[in-house]
Amino acid sequence: QVPLVESGGGSVQAGGSLRLSCASSINAANSNYMGWFRQAPGKKREGVAAIASDGFTFYADSVKGRFTISQDNADNTLYLQMTSLKPEDTALYYCAADMNGYLYSGSWADLGRYNYWGQGTQVTVSS
């Protein structure tokens, strides 16, 4: 069983909105961090947003004010509300969970922090 499954991707015009969902079969409420990452063709995977176990949120500078990360622990689902989308937001978006049993001291955006990954959902923004 895949522990994290993303959905909600699609094709939109610039200025549009999408909401991504990440359904978790693991107990994400026990995660240290849950995050969204993205990878555009030919580019490295980068952190988009994350939410810590205390509810504190983190965002990449490129999405601040446009994207909102949230988590519903009752149904083990992570969300990413994306508004004012730009062509440069086009990428494969991944959900990730830090379920490590130790305290990771690096950044929320470090790929190495996360030990569970989804398979991704494509977001395409046209100009």
Side-chain angles (χ1 to χ4, degrees):
Q1 187 177 14
V2 179
L4 300 172
V5 180
E6 303 94 337
S7 62
S11 297
V12 296
Q13 290 191 323
S17 299
L18 283 172
R19 189 177 80 156
L20 304 184
S21 299
C22 173
S24 171
S25 63
I26 54 178
N27 190 357
N30 289 335
S31 65
N32 300 313
Y33 284 73
M34 294 291 295
W36 286 99
F37 289 76
R38 66 186 181 187
Q39 188 167 17
K43 295 189 176 181
K44 293 181 179 179
R45 192 172 300 189
E46 63 177 3
V48 175
I51 185 166
S53 58
D54 60 3
F56 201 83
T57 56
F58 305 84
Y59 294 95
D61 287 344
S62 59
V63 306
K64 279 181 183 176
R66 299 189 299 122
F67 291 11
T68 303
I69 188 171
S70 61
Q71 186 174 15
D72 185 337
N73 289 331
D75 63 0
N76 273 340
T77 304
L78 182 72
Y79 299 99
L80 185 68
Q81 179 68 49
M82 306 186 295
T83 63
S84 301
L85 283 161
K86 304 175 181 180
E88 51 264 43
D89 295 318
T90 295
L92 189 60
Y93 282 70
Y94 297 91
C95 170
D98 168 6
M99 301 291 290
N100 292 301
Y102 58 87
L103 182 63
Y104 184 91
S105 60
S107 166
W108 65 270
D110 285 352
L111 273 65
R113 165 186 291 279
Y114 300 88
N115 55 336
Y116 286 95
W117 290 87
Q119 296 180 319
T121 184
Q122 179 67 38
V123 172
T124 302
V125 185
S126 58
S127 57

